[in-house]
Amino acid sequence: MAEKTMLEAVHDAMFEEMKRDERVIVMGEDVGEGGVFRATEGFVAEFGPNRCVDTPLAEAAIVGVAIGASLNGILPIAEIQFADFSHPAFDQLVSEAARLYYRSNGTWNCPITVRMPYGAGIHGGPYHSQSVEAFYAHVPGLKVVCVATPHDAKGLLKSAVRDPNPVIVLEHKKAYRLYRQELPDEDYTIPIGVAELKREGSDISLITYGMMMHHSLKAAETVHEQDGVSVEVIDLRSVSPWDKARVLESVKKTGKALVVYEDNFTGGFGAEVAATIAQDGFDYLDGPVTRLASPDVPIAPFAGELEDFILPNPEKITTAIRKLASY
Amino acid sequence: MVSVKEIPGAMGLEREQLLDLYYKMFLSRTVAQRERMLNRLGKGPFAITGEGQEATQVGATFALRPGHDWVLPYYRDIGVAITVGQTPRDLLLALLSKSEDISSGGRNMPSHFSEPKLRIVSGSAPVSTQLPHAVGVAFAAQLRGSDEVALVTTGDGGTSPGDTHEAMNFAGIHKCPVIFVVENNGYAISVRWSQQAAVPDVSVRAAGYGFPGVTVDGNDVLAVYGAAKEAVERARSGDGPTLIEAKTYRMVPHSSDDDDRRYRTREEVEAWGKKDPVVRFQKWLEEHDLVDRRKLDEIQQLAAEEIDEATEYAENAPKPAPESALERVYAD
Ligand SMILES: Cc1ncc(C[n+]2csc(CCOP(=O)(O)OP(=O)(O)O)c2C)c(N)n1
């Protein structure tokens, strides 16, 4: 067992996959020098520039070339330096990677992994802070995971590399160096689409993912100590596919659901979770399915005061829990 | 008959190969005409074909090793599909969106060619998204130490999207074994080349990516073949990409939904009709004493039989089961 940050876990997952299977390569901007977050530190020395490829600054090409390479025996891990810059590659992800298997009636498949550091709370301003999971979770043919712990990052990234479909791995930037966690020495994977119960509880189900999972655990602790409210916290980890069964099972037990997400309120992925609970869990409910998210302003303004004001945090989550508990 | 090798302009092709080239052009034309006819008869809701561009499509593809090299065609490319080995039956099954359609099982529009066995990569509708894929395929061949090359086509309108620039730039940097073929038919639906680019020949752009670009007469099948052959040799021997711009003309409307009288004169269309690449190559073969009327009849009869058989087969083939629309979204 070794203690690792999430960033080190990401590094190790790729390193081990490249050792395990020589078809695996990484490609992206600055990856040769180790990448702006240093996720590929030492890769060129170990694997050479052919397997750790510095690309031109061209996101459509990063994803498009990865798609083509994946059709000819390579398993690319493409890095988009910040999720905000995946927009130039949107067409390649949505029209191409996602649809290739379906449109060829299952005769071509596209086993690419696209890593994207994402999320706010790091003074990234409006172009280094966005949550993009709802865009991609909307698209059949793509799989999307949101990781915020070292253990999940390593296990889910490895699953992504081994998956025969295009998988977008969203790594929350604020969680990169948040804390260290003991990771097993042996190879392990975490199945895509399986949520994790982070904290058991009986009064409210709190469904979340990404950085909001860490904030939600703090809030759950606070209301437990101060109000005696027992909150069950579920980390979705994957948003496409997502673990509906696990969520509904929890809501059946607690009768109340709070969905917390960092993205804008309107049309964020949590809206899908809330709608599913409202439709399929109606009989279990004795309170309004509640969403807590960022307001509908571009995420995130740069000044600390502005950014702090818009993002959900443990205090806002605590308030939302108390309100829901009062029903 | 004289020895073919002595004929200037035959690009080293033997008589049998020249006749094969002609057959593929003629068959492509036949398939296209049948597709538009079936559409007008109300049998398929949409057809998109490339009469007039056969010399470009067949000539360029003829330089490849089918099933070994890769092609990433666009919707106009019946000639590319035929040349690497798709049959009229394959194409008509797609036109009528039957479940046996190898390209997509009725999921994609007609003329979105695909077949892994022939290394035809499935394409989409957004123009030029296939160019980065071709570069990726070629890049992978390089990484794997294989001598495969990739040939990708697009239209003149297809030279404008960002993907085209990004793909060519990447290919230039890594010297990927890829051949970019621009089928410049002068129009992107109704938009003329002068509104698409400020240069007369788009091949000059290759210089900006660090590889050669050539402009050829796209209605001269041997000229196109010659340029492609050279490009394939360059690619295979590690010298990197080539951009081939073939100047040609689409003799039919953009698609079954288009009325080209809105944007081009009948005089213009008729003038290009006189430069029909299939007729032109037929004349060349006759002038060089490589075919006589009997041989031509034989070839044309063969194409007619093939297309009739394909039509009957495709019309009688089953449609996809409606509920299969839910299947094969994700690979297992
Ligand atoms: C990105 C994108 N924009 C618009 C269209 C609609 N469209 C389909 S074909 C076409 C014209 C393409 O012209 P060109 O590339 O010259 O090829 P041609 O049809 O002349 O063979 C347009 C505008 C599209 N398919 N994709």
Side-chain angles (χ1 to χ4, degrees):
Chain A
M1 300 282 262
E3 294 231 312
K4 301 277 184 175
T5 63
M6 181 167 120
L7 196 51
E8 289 162 351
V10 167
H11 172 281
D12 293 356
M14 292 193 284
F15 193 91
E16 290 171 22
E17 287 304 283
M18 288 174 75
K19 278 282 189 196
R20 186 184 61 81
D21 187 338
E22 65 169 17
R23 295 173 302 167
V24 180
I25 66 165
V26 299
M27 52 190 291
E29 293 152 15
D30 302 291
V31 297
E33 274 298 304
V36 294
F37 292 102
R38 320 231 50 82
T40 52
E41 183 95 67
F43 278 38
V44 168
E46 181 67 27
F47 302 108
N50 283 344
R51 293 186 63 203
C52 179
V53 184
D54 263 334
T55 64
L57 200 166
E59 283 73 14
I62 293 172
V63 175
V65 170
I67 291 169
S70 82
L71 303 177
N72 195 6
I74 298 294
L75 297 173
I77 304 174
E79 176 177 310
I80 301 295
Q81 201 162 74
F82 291 86
D84 311 64
F85 309 128
S86 72
H87 307 338
F90 194 73
D91 195 21
Q92 286 292 341
L93 288 164
V94 173
S95 304
E96 305 302 327
R99 281 168 158 74
L100 193 52
Y101 186 71
Y102 189 82
R103 78 178 184 222
S104 68
N105 206 18
T107 61
W108 288 106
N109 68 305
C110 179
I112 63 169
T113 301
V114 185
R115 292 181 44 240
M116 304 183 189
Y118 86 109
I122 47 114
H123 306 292
Y127 302 101
H128 300 81
S129 302
Q130 296 173 50
S131 289
V132 298
E133 68 276 11
F135 299 152
Y136 298 116
H138 183 66
V139 182
L142 296 177
K143 294 187 179 182
V144 185
V145 303
C146 295
V147 296
T149 75
H151 189 261
D152 289 348
K154 189 167 183 189
L156 279 161
L157 182 48
K158 285 191 171 200
S159 289
V161 173
R162 299 177 196 183
D163 198 286
N165 298 284
V167 184
I168 295 177
V169 178
L170 294 169
E171 302 161 1
H172 203 291
K173 296 190 291 286
K174 198 174 168 73
Y176 266 158
R177 299 184 184 89
L178 196 63
Y179 64 101
R180 292 181 171 275
Q181 187 178 14
E182 292 260 319
L183 298 185
D185 292 325
E186 63 278 10
D187 184 48
Y188 72 95
T189 59
I190 294 173
I192 295 170
V194 177
E196 189 181 38
L197 182 67
K198 284 288 187 187
R199 179 190 173 101
E200 246 188 275
S202 52
D203 297 330
I204 287 179
S205 301
L206 192 163
I207 301 102
T208 187
Y209 55 91
M211 195 56 212
M212 292 302 128
M213 178 270 293
H214 296 295
H215 292 340
S216 297
L217 285 174
K218 278 201 187 118
E221 189 62 37
T222 305
V223 293
H224 177 71
E225 282 169 9
Q226 298 181 2
D227 311 65
V229 174
S230 166
V231 179
E232 177 146 303
V233 179
I234 293 177
D235 181 3
L236 288 180
R237 303 191 292 190
S238 299
V239 297
S240 177
W242 66 282
D243 201 343
K244 289 180 196 155
R246 188 68 195 80
V247 169
L248 289 168
E249 184 191 319
S250 173
V251 176
K252 185 174 183 181
K253 179 174 76 175
T254 64
K256 285 179 180 150
L258 173 63
V259 186
V260 182
Y261 53 105
E262 178 179 317
D263 197 359
N264 297 119
F265 185 85
T266 301
F269 188 75
E272 179 63 32
V273 177
T276 300
I277 296 168
Q279 184 163 344
D280 296 343
F282 184 72
D283 291 342
Y284 315 141
L285 292 169
D286 49 25
V289 182
T290 303
R291 290 186 277 159
L292 177 67
S294 295
D296 291 336
V297 303
I299 297 174
F302 181 68
E305 299 74 11
L306 303 176
E307 181 172 35
D308 290 346
F309 183 77
I310 66 156
L311 291 179
N313 55 29
E315 294 69 44
K316 291 184 198 176
I317 300 170
T318 303
T319 307
I321 292 170
R322 286 185 175 136
K323 189 165 173 213
L324 184 56
S326 69
Y327 275 89
Chain B
M1 283 189 187
V2 294
S3 156
V4 173
K5 292 233 161 90
E6 293 166 22
I7 298 173
M11 301 291 165
L13 293 173
E14 310 277 343
R15 176 172 181 266
E16 283 313 307
Q17 292 173 301
L18 291 165
L19 294 191
D20 189 28
L21 201 52
Y22 175 72
Y23 182 66
K24 289 182 157 79
M25 290 172 71
F26 191 83
L27 187 61
S28 303
R29 172 69 56 89
T30 308
V31 172
Q33 289 172 335
R34 182 61 54 92
E35 289 199 1
R36 287 193 303 116
M37 185 187 97
L38 289 170
N39 166 261
R40 278 200 302 272
L41 290 173
K43 304 212 169 168
F46 182 73
I48 187 155
T49 62
E51 292 97 313
Q53 299 182 206
E54 292 89 347
T56 294
Q57 296 167 3
V58 177
T61 314
F62 207 72
L64 301 175
R65 276 158 58 190
H68 177 77
D69 295 327
W70 296 68
V71 293
L72 297 93
Y74 81 117
Y75 51 79
R76 188 116 10 243
D77 279 332
I78 289 174
V80 174
I82 289 280
T83 306
V84 288
Q86 283 206 313
T87 63
R89 190 189 272 199
D90 295 331
L91 299 174
L92 293 189
L93 284 165
L95 180 85
L96 303 179
S97 54
K98 297 302 180 83
S99 82
E100 274 176 61
D101 155 32
I102 178 70
S103 291
S104 84
R107 292 171 170 213
N108 226 342
M109 283 178 122
S111 294
H112 286 57
F113 318 98
S114 169
E115 193 162 347
K117 174 164 70 58
L118 297 174
R119 296 195 159 165
I120 306 174
V121 175
S122 163
S124 62
V127 165
S128 283
T129 49
Q130 74 275 21
L131 271 70
H133 304 169
V135 175
V137 163
F139 187 53
Q142 253 175 330
L143 293 177
R144 293 178 28 246
S146 153
D147 73 346
E148 298 152 22
V149 308
L151 182 137
V152 60
T153 57
T154 191
D156 42 285
T159 63
S160 292
D163 279 16
T164 301
H165 161 71
E166 293 193 19
M168 290 188 185
N169 187 44
F170 193 108
I173 292 164
H174 291 278
K175 282 189 177 284
C176 297
V178 56
I179 299 105
F180 300 100
V181 177
V182 173
E183 302 185 21
N184 189 343
N185 62 20
Y187 290 89
I189 308 184
S190 68
V191 178
R192 283 160 197 275
W193 178 244
S194 59
Q195 303 303 303
Q196 199 70 243
V199 288
D201 297 332
V202 78
S203 58
V204 299
R205 286 191 192 157
Y209 302 116
F211 53 81
V214 290
T215 295
V216 294
D217 178 348
N219 280 24
D220 178 347
V221 69
L222 292 171
V224 178
Y225 169 74
K229 190 177 161 209
E230 206 173 299
V232 168
E233 276 162 17
R234 271 178 51 77
R236 234 190 268 296
S237 58
D239 291 336
T242 306
L243 168 59
I244 299 173
E245 176 190 27
K247 292 256 169 61
T248 180
Y249 196 76
R250 142 169 84 66
M251 291 162 53
V252 292
H254 172 74
S255 73
S256 53
D257 295 335
D258 177 43
D259 178 2
D260 65 333
R261 285 170 303 190
R262 291 181 300 121
Y263 55 83
R264 49 185 199 181
T265 64
R266 291 309 86 188
E267 292 71 39
E268 180 186 297
V269 177
E270 275 160 32
W272 274 93
K274 297 203 177 85
K275 304 185 207 166
D276 184 326
V278 182
V279 175
R280 178 168 165 185
F281 189 45
Q282 180 183 316
K283 282 195 184 132
W284 186 90
L285 292 169
E286 287 173 323
E287 277 162 19
H288 291 83
D289 221 5
L290 292 157
V291 285
D292 53 18
R293 193 60 249 173
R294 230 194 50 221
K295 184 70 193 168
L296 283 173
D297 286 347
E298 197 182 293
I299 290 174
Q300 295 174 359
Q301 183 58 29
L302 197 61
E305 279 164 21
E306 234 187 291
I307 196 71
D308 285 344
E309 180 281 327
T311 307
E312 195 185 321
Y313 186 91
E315 288 200 273
N316 292 316
K319 283 281 192 182
E323 61 280 8
S324 74
L326 301 179
E327 293 164 5
R328 292 180 290 285
V329 177
Y330 290 95
D332 306 318

